[in-house]
Amino acid sequence: MAAHRVRLVEAAAPRVPPEDRLTMDRVWDEAVRAKPSLFDGPVVACAGLDREGHTAWSSRG
């Protein structure tokens, strides 16, 4: 499958049950404590962020 163009459309986020959200947050927090340099690469790329030093990220615009 190949795409020549991708169009992103803003939509409401899916509903995540509170117990699932708590589990997701707990697992993410544990992962970050185990590896403080961990970050969400796809979010960084899609948000247009650049690295500032060793620990900070800033928006390109």
Side-chain angles (χ1 to χ4, degrees):
M1 176 190 248
H4 297 287
R5 189 173 177 180
V6 175
R7 181 170 181 242
L8 302 176
V9 178
E10 188 171 352
R15 185 186 170 289
V16 178
E19 61 275 6
D20 291 347
R21 182 64 193 208
L22 288 172
T23 300
M24 181 178 66
D25 290 343
R26 179 184 51 77
V27 169
W28 180 255
D29 289 343
E30 288 172 4
V32 171
R33 275 196 301 278
K35 185 177 180 185
S37 63
L38 185 66
F39 71 96
D40 192 336
V43 170
V44 169
C46 290
L49 301 177
D50 287 319
R51 192 171 190 80
E52 283 187 357
H54 295 288
T55 60
W57 294 87
S58 65
S59 175
R60 286 185 217 143

